[in-house]
């Protein structure tokens, strides 16, 4: 239900007409509501130095010299302008003023970055940087972008859509970060850095009221018990009704219902020894997000609904719930002058239960109840060195992680087509254990005040143990989920995979750079870096379809192993860049040009198939591709008018261009290629073909850009009024490598606006905010199980002629998930 507020709209539009765009990279995104605390882990000493420096940089985001923002991209405190890495930094003050709701919002103003919520839940993250990433959340697949909370790596994408609250800053590092951040950072890394506890008693309250029944409340406090012992806590309750309804179940669709808490303690002081302890808990009871069918039902003729946020899927089991929790200990000890020892210890666990109705119709036709259970322990040791012209660190890292995924694919509706298979279900169950260790080092030597060289490397040992179970059942589902629609636990009629495999991968990932600073305000750099993403096993693979390579009539273990496994992928990037603070620090600009060689690209996929006369689906993951990705990134901000402490107008911008091309893309095709005598005709048997010219980098537009204009008027004594709007643009992009008509998103733009008043001494804040002012509808993810021409992407019938036909289920699946509609809300905050 929509709560209309005409007076709120009038106030907002008046403020938006004054000026225009939000605070941007090192600025940020629209001022938004308080959100759930991100999982709490401890900040490193480098983060502590950065915290103090950024606090001193400016009292208002509009006052800040962006180039002076201190980041820890190289695991030590440095100004943004001096780091020879393409980094976009958002300070806590900027994020608070601009109000990003969760971590996906920062992508609108960061070049060549895609961050999206993945399909059926509010909390699973899909991340791509410079065309490299991963959108499949199933255990067995590794992410291509590393997410770190206070230097603790999150091993899985579940529960990774972090709400932005009480944050010191967020850093987005673009390009492979394999040396300092390790495996699975071949696209880049995102660092979420929380605030330190205050040395003075503090208590802050914040609440939001807005459309769609939005009602949020956050309470945060800290208390120093002595000069060396401090405690703190945050509690959040975030609620919003749905943007639409599920007309079958009656539930709100796209709603939010989150409870979160975090506690922390600090013992000691920064100047010698410090121990930070933290623990967090988040529970998300939001309803399952139902997709929007983009085509009528092929069997039932069910029409396409008029509201893209309305769904009609009937699956409700298991009850949707996501719980994540963790604890961390961060210790630092100054061994001697210039030598500091650090330890980062963390344990995390998350459990997700979600009903995913692929066909988004009441009948059980590709209904997928699923569970994800992840846990991890990590330990990192660092020795930081700062001795005259030499700075750097030596480190060691250990990860022990387990990821369990299980889901049924219910094809009960298949009984209409195959009466001898009532209540058909395909079970997939994968259990993956990961043990990885690494040693690394990275050093910078200042040859002169103008010239510095950096060299680093990391050796990684990555071991994977995977068990895979695939079964077909009739008259019900697997015991893990139970039955539905009148069926109980099913009867197993076939076990198509029962696999236990191990693999070991090792990699050395170097990094080198050279920096030249003609003066303190200009930095030129050139760098070379490599990244590595681990191999694994596809838990959706069907071993009975493994090729009989020796043609002896028997599928051996080695043949099945080779069919289910995939190798690591690697990226090598050369980059040149320029960063500068110009015109008396009124302008900050950063320019980067890069070329990436992407080898052994892992292409995960699943397709409907008939195995042994039974309809099912098959996971097919191969190292089928290699690609070349080139691009340009330009970002900055400028104070157009005014001076710090007075009226001022700021302009911020970001532009990303990416030219990505597959050089090889091998796949099995069942239809003739365009231009061939048998073009579009079925092939029997299918053949392997290189379809690189017909494939594109997924989830990555060629162009993305944003512009920011903000006006600040100070009244004195901390009191000020800020008006801002942002316009962001993304060119067309594909959900998958092969074009999918109707599912792929054309180019679009989003407009946001804010009007924020800060009271005397910064105690009170009052804001009116709007997101997606033009109420644009845009697809962020989706499912497709329609038969396609493997070259053109055109939907076809089994004969190869144009038309729609299903490869899984009877209704045909082409389902989209959309970004948020226009939202208008009011925020009120008070700090004691």
């Amino acid at each position: 239900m929509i709560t209309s507020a005409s007076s709120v709209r009038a106030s907002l539009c008046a403020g938006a007409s004054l000026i225009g765009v939000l605070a941007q990279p090192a600025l940020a995104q629209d001022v938004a509501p308080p959100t759930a605390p991100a999982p709490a882990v401890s900040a490193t000493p480098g983060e502590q130095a950065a915290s103090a420096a950024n606090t001193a940089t400016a009292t208002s985001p509009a006052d800040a010299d962006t180039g002076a923002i201190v980041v820890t991209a190289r695991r030590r405190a440095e100004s943004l302008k001096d780091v020879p890495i393409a980094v976009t930094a958002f300070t806590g003050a900027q994020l608070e003023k601009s109000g990003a709701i969760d971590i996906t919002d920062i992508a609108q103003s960061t070049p060549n970055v895609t961050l999206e919520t993945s399909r059926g839940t509010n909390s699973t993250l899909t991340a791509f940087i410079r065309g490299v990433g991963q959108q499949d959340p199933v255990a067995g697949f590794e992410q291509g972008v590393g997410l770190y909370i206070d230097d603790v790596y999150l091993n899985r994408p579940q529960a990774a859509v972090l709400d932005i609250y009480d944050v010191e800053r967020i850093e987005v590092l673009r390009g492979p970060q394999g040396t300092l951040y390790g495996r699975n950072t071949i696209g880049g890394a995102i660092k979420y850095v929380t605030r330190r506890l205050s040395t003075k008693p503090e208590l802050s309250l914040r609440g939001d009221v807005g459309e769609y029944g939005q009602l949020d409340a956050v309470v945060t406090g800290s208390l120093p018990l002595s000069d060396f012992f401090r405690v703190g806590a945050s509690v959040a309750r975030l609620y919003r009704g749905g943007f639409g309804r599920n007309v079958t179940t009656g539930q709100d669709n796209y709603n939010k219902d989150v409870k979160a808490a975090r506690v922390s303690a600090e013992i000691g002081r920064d100047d010698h020894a410090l121990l930070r302890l933290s623990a967090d808990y988040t529970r998300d009871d939001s309803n399952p997000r139902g997709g929007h069918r983009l085509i009528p039902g092929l069997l039932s003729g069910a029409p396409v609904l008029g509201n893209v946020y309305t769904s009609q899927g009937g699956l409700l089991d298991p009850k949707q719930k996501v719980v994540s929790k963790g604890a961390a200990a961060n210790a630092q000890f100054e061994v001697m002058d210039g030598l500091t020892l650090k330890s980062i210890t963390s344990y995390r666990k998350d459990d997700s239960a979600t009903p995913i109705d692929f066909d988004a119709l009441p009948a059980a036709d590709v209904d997928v109840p699923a569970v994800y259970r992840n846990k991890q322990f990590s330990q990192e040791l660092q020795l930081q060195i700062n001795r005259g012209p030499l700075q750097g660190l030596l480190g060691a890292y250990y990860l022990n992680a387990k990821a369990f995924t299980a889901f049924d694919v219910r094809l009960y509706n298949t009984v209409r087509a195959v009466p001898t298979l009532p209540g058909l279900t395909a079970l997939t169950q994968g259990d993956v254990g990961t043990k990885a260790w690494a040693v690394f080092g990275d050093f910078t030597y200042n040859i002169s005040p103008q010239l510095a060289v950096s060299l680093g490397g990391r050796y990684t040992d990555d071991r994977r143990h995977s068990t895979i179970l695939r079964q077909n059942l009739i008259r019900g589902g697997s015991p893990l989920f139970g039955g539905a629609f009148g069926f109980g636990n099913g009867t197993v009629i076939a076990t198509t995979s029962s696999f236990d495999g191990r693999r070991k991968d090792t990699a050395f990932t170097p990094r080198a750079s050279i920096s030249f600073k003609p003066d303190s305000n200009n930095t030129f750099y050139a760098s070379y870096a490599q990244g590595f993403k681990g191999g694994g096993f596809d838990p959706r693979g069907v071993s009975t379809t493994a090729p009989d390579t020796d043609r002896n009539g028997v599928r051996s273990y080695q043949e099945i192993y080779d069919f289910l496994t995939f190798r690591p992928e690697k990226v090598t990037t050369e980059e040149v860049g320029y960063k500068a603070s110009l015109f008396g620090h009124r302008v900050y600009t950063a320019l980067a040009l890069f070329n990436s060689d992407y080898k052994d690209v892992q292409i995960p996929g699943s397709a409907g198939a008939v195995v042994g006369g039974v309809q099912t689906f098959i996971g097919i993951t191969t190292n089928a591709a290699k690609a070349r990705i080139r691009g340009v990134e330009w970002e900055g901000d400028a104070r157009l008018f005014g001076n710090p402490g007075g009226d001022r107008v700021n302009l911020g911008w970001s532009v990303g261009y990416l030219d990505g091309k597959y050089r090889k893309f091998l796949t099995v095709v069942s239809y003739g290629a365009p231009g061939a005598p048998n073009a579009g005709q079925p092939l029997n048997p299918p053949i392997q073909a290189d379809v690189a010219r017909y494939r594109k980098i997924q989830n990555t537009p060629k162009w993305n850009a944003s512009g920011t204009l903000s006006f600040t008027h100070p009244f004195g004594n901390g009191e000020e009024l800020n008006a801002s709007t942002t316009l962001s643009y993304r060119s067309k992009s594909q959900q998958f490598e092969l074009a999918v008509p109707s599912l792929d998103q054309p180019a679009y733009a989003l407009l946001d606006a804010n009007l924020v008043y800060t009271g005397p001494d910064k105690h009170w804040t009052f804001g009116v905010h709007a997101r997606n002012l033009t109420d644009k509808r845009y697809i962020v993810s989706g499912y497709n199980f329609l038969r396609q021409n493997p070259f053109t992407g055109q939907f076809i019938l089994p004969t190869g002629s144009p038309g729609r036909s299903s490869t899984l289920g009877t209704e045909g699946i082409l389902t989209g998930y959309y970004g948020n509609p226009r939202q208008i809300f009011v925020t009120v905050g008070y700090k004691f």
Side-chain angles (χ1 to χ4, degrees), residues 181-244:
Y181 294 91
R183 54 193 287 278
N184 306 340
T185 59
I186 58 174
I190 301 172
K191 299 186 62 173
Y192 186 109
V193 182
T194 61
R195 282 197 180 111
R196 292 285 308 276
L197 295 178
S198 174
T199 57
K200 299 179 181 179
E202 287 187 354
L203 178 65
S204 64
L205 310 174
R206 192 168 176 184
D208 303 315
V209 178
E211 294 185 292
Y212 303 100
Q214 178 182 346
L215 186 61
D216 303 329
V218 177
V219 179
T220 302
S222 63
L223 179 65
L225 300 179
S226 71
D227 61 353
F228 60 89
F229 184 36
R230 300 168 293 282
V231 295
S234 298
V235 179
R237 178 71 171 91
L238 311 175
Y239 178 83
R240 188 198 66 236
F243 300 139

Side-chain angles (χ1 to χ4, degrees), residues 680-720:
Q681 300 300 309
L683 300 178
N684 191 15
I687 62 172
Q688 187 178 72
D690 186 347
V691 296
R693 62 180 293 195
Y694 303 101
R695 297 296 188 269
K696 292 186 177 180
I697 307 293
Q698 63 162 280
N699 282 287
T700 302
K702 178 170 284 190
W703 288 96
N704 73 305
S706 66
T708 293
L709 191 64
S710 62
F711 170 74
T712 302
H713 173 70
F715 297 96
N717 195 29
E719 186 180 10
E720 70 175 23

Side-chain angles (χ1 to χ4, degrees), residues 3 19 28 30 37 40 43-44 111 137 197 207 319 342 459 463 466 479 503 563 651 670 720:
T3 307
I19 279 292
D30 253 350
T44 67
L197 295 178
K319 185 181 183 303
K342 309 176 187 178
Y459 178 82
R463 306 186 185 213
S466 180
R503 69 170 295 130
F563 178 65
L651 172 67
S670 301
E720 70 175 23

Side-chain angles (χ1 to χ4, degrees), residues 331-365:
Q332 72 171 66
F333 177 73
E334 186 176 15
V335 180
M336 59 182 293
D337 187 33
L339 292 179
T340 300
L341 183 65
K342 309 176 187 178
S343 170
I344 306 167
T345 309
S346 177
Y347 174 81
R348 299 211 57 80
K349 181 179 180 182
D350 64 83
D351 297 281
S352 302
T354 181
I356 309 172
D357 200 313
F358 275 53
D359 68 308
L361 287 172
D365 188 46

